């Protein structure tokens, strides 16, 4: 329709999409899948960024992207590879030139200036942050939840998923919503027996009323019952939290610590990171299956 503009800048590799976001505002996203950078050669990758830059120079009326995202198949900084190494300068310079032309910045790196995290692991256990999301400074200032996590549920991918939540600065503040107890509590016999007894007691108390008063009525009993169930649910959920979730949190903490380790040999770190990333993906998949 007229509300969506789609332009294939580089066939099969660069797609520009602009659509309505809120009221009369548009949001424009450039999706990229850059050519590989081989050992010592980045000509294709370099020419790819140059072609996109040339497109925007030739079409000044076409909307510039608020976000550019995808698999860049190269990194800008040595910190984004393990073992640490820089990519071919020609490709880095070409991407840098495009970023300046359309005014985009690496959002995740701006939020995490010194953190190491990786989205792709090769068969030789080398790691790199090939998948990135660039954004305008305006978008970065309001965006939240920059994440790198396993691409659970996406078939045939060996990359981790990068994501961010784009927020319109004019949107009203929305809270977290109502608290709900975890679904696994519905299968816990102890919890269900306890709240059944609470409900029975509340029903008996209600049936014992001879008249409704300001201090003795069904609404007060219901509010009290809900508060008791909520408190019991919080305590019980801590006691029986599924082992898979506990293991996932433990693995994620370990992964963060290992990726931040600057003292251990890189050969040791890259193997540990590979093991932890595989464990994290397996646990994420297990939890998703349980949810389904």
């Amino acid at each position: 329709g007229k509300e969506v503009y789609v332009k294939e800048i580089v066939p099969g590799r660069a797609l520009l999409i602009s659509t309505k976001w809120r009221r009369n505002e548009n949001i424009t996203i450039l999706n990229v899948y850059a050519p590989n950078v081989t050992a010592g050669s980045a000509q294709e990758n370099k020419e790819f960024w140059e072609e996109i830059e040339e497109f925007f120079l030739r079409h000044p009326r076409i909307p510039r992207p608020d976000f550019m995202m995808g698999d860049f198949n190269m990194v800008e900084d040595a910190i984004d590879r393990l073992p640490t190494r820089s990519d071919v300068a020609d490709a880095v310079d070409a991407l840098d030139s495009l970023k300046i032309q359309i005014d985009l910045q690496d959002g995740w790196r701006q939020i995490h200036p010194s953190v190491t995290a990786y989205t792709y692991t090769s068969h030789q256990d080398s790691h790199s942050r090939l998948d990135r999301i660039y954004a305008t400074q305006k978008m970065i200032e309001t965006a939240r939840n920059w994440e790198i996590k396993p691409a659970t549920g996406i078939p045939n991918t060996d990359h981790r998923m990068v994501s961010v939540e784009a927020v319109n600065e004019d949107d009203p503040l929305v809270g977290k919503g109502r608290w709900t107890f975890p679904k696994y509590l519905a299968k816990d016999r102890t919890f269900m027996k306890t709240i059944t007894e609470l409900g029975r007691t509340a029903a008996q108390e209600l049936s014992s009323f001879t008249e409704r008063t300001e201090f003795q009525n069904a609404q007060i009993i219901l509010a009290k019952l809900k508060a008791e169930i909520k408190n019991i649910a919080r305590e019980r959920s801590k006691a029986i939290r599924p082992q898979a979730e506990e293991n996932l949190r433990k693995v994620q903490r370990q992964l963060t610590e290992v990726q931040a380790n600057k003292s251990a040999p890189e050969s040791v770190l890259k193997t540990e990171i590979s093991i932890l990333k595989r464990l994290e993906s397996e646990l994420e998949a297990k939890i998703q299956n349980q949810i389904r």
Side-chain angles (χ1 to χ4, degrees), residues 40-171:
S41 175
Q43 187 64 26
E44 260 194 285
N45 192 280
K46 168 180 173 288
E47 291 174 354
F48 174 70
W49 306 120
E50 290 173 342
E51 187 174 349
I52 295 174
E53 182 175 353
E54 178 63 24
F55 171 83
F56 285 114
L57 287 170
R58 285 188 286 105
H59 301 89
R61 291 188 156 190
I62 286 180
R64 270 44 182 168
D66 299 295
F67 291 93
M68 175 172 65
M69 61 184 69
D71 181 354
F72 287 72
N73 264 317
M74 48 81 78
V75 302
E76 293 190 83
D77 303 298
I79 190 177
D80 286 322
R81 284 196 185 277
L82 185 72
T84 305
R85 67 174 174 84
S86 299
D87 268 328
V88 180
D90 284 355
V92 176
D93 291 345
L95 173 58
D96 198 43
S97 178
L98 171 63
K99 284 163 47 194
I100 293 170
Q101 159 73 10
I102 57 178
D103 196 21
L104 297 181
Q105 300 175 50
D106 184 346
W108 188 89
R109 177 55 70 202
Q110 189 175 126
I111 303 300
H112 307 284
S114 59
V115 174
T116 49
Y118 311 101
T119 66
Y120 176 73
T121 299
S122 73
H123 297 302
Q124 291 77 36
D125 281 343
S126 63
H127 307 275
S128 47
R129 190 168 67 93
L130 301 180
D131 307 87
R132 302 188 291 280
I133 298 175
Y134 291 80
T136 61
Q137 186 59 39
K138 180 182 177 181
M139 286 294 182
I140 290 174
E141 286 173 359
T142 56
R144 59 195 179 202
N145 298 329
W146 294 86
E147 293 184 329
I148 297 174
K149 57 187 179 182
T152 307
I154 301 176
N156 304 319
T157 180
D158 52 0
H159 289 246
R160 290 162 75 82
M161 183 170 68
V162 296
S163 63
V164 66
E165 185 178 342
V167 180
N168 190 304
E169 61 184 354
D170 295 326
D171 281 348

Side-chain angles (χ1 to χ4, degrees), residues 20-287:
K20 291 289 183 185
W21 191 20
R22 185 173 180 269
R23 295 176 185 165
N24 295 321
E25 292 185 59
N26 278 19
I27 187 168
T28 304
I29 299 170
L30 175 59
N31 295 278
V32 299
Y33 175 46
N36 286 326
V37 173
T38 57
S41 175
Q43 187 64 26
E44 260 194 285
N45 192 280
K46 168 180 173 288
E47 291 174 354
F48 174 70
W49 306 120
E50 290 173 342
E51 187 174 349
I52 295 174
E53 182 175 353
E54 178 63 24
F55 171 83
F56 285 114
L57 287 170
R58 285 188 286 105
H59 301 89
R61 291 188 156 190
I62 286 180
R64 270 44 182 168
D66 299 295
F67 291 93
M68 175 172 65
M69 61 184 69
D71 181 354
F72 287 72
N73 264 317
M74 48 81 78
V75 302
E76 293 190 83
D77 303 298
I79 190 177
D80 286 322
R81 284 196 185 277
L82 185 72
T84 305
R85 67 174 174 84
S86 299
D87 268 328
V88 180
D90 284 355
V92 176
D93 291 345
L95 173 58
D96 198 43
S97 178
L98 171 63
K99 284 163 47 194
I100 293 170
Q101 159 73 10
I102 57 178
D103 196 21
L104 297 181
Q105 300 175 50
D106 184 346
W108 188 89
R109 177 55 70 202
Q110 189 175 126
I111 303 300
H112 307 284
S114 59
V115 174
T116 49
Y118 311 101
T119 66
Y120 176 73
T121 299
S122 73
H123 297 302
Q124 291 77 36
D125 281 343
S126 63
H127 307 275
S128 47
R129 190 168 67 93
L130 301 180
D131 307 87
R132 302 188 291 280
I133 298 175
Y134 291 80
T136 61
Q137 186 59 39
K138 180 182 177 181
M139 286 294 182
I140 290 174
E141 286 173 359
T142 56
R144 59 195 179 202
N145 298 329
W146 294 86
E147 293 184 329
I148 297 174
K149 57 187 179 182
T152 307
I154 301 176
N156 304 319
T157 180
D158 52 0
H159 289 246
R160 290 162 75 82
M161 183 170 68
V162 296
S163 63
V164 66
E165 185 178 342
V167 180
N168 190 304
E169 61 184 354
D170 295 326
D171 281 348
L173 179 65
V174 178
K176 295 182 178 180
R178 293 182 299 171
W179 177 87
T180 59
F181 65 73
K183 293 181 177 63
Y184 58 80
L185 280 183
K187 296 182 179 180
D188 179 56
R189 291 184 178 180
T190 300
F191 174 71
M192 295 306 294
K193 182 179 179 181
T194 301
I195 65 172
T196 299
E197 289 299 323
L198 287 174
R200 187 174 289 117
T201 300
Q204 290 172 350
E205 185 179 355
L206 183 61
S207 63
S208 68
F209 290 170
T210 55
E211 62 178 331
R212 185 187 190 282
T213 69
E214 182 181 353
F215 306 103
Q216 192 179 52
N217 57 62
Q219 286 72 29
I220 289 177
I221 291 175
L222 178 60
K224 180 183 174 184
L225 175 64
K226 288 167 68 176
E228 288 176 335
I229 290 174
K230 183 176 180 179
N231 290 334
I232 292 170
R234 285 186 185 277
E235 292 303 314
R236 187 62 181 163
S237 65
K238 292 176 185 176
I240 64 163
R241 183 174 286 155
Q243 192 62 45
E245 290 187 15
E246 283 295 315
N247 291 341
L248 177 60
R249 289 184 179 88
K250 182 180 178 181
V251 168
Q252 288 172 334
R253 286 194 297 269
Q254 290 175 331
L255 183 58
T256 299
E257 290 169 3
V258 171
Q259 289 181 150
N261 191 335
K262 300 293 189 292
S263 59
E266 290 185 338
S267 59
V268 173
L269 290 176
K270 69 178 191 177
T271 302
E272 288 186 5
I273 290 171
S274 292
I275 293 169
L276 289 169
K277 283 167 75 172
R278 279 195 294 270
L279 279 172
E280 184 187 27
S281 295
E282 289 169 4
L283 289 166
E284 282 273 15
K286 183 176 181 180
I287 290 168

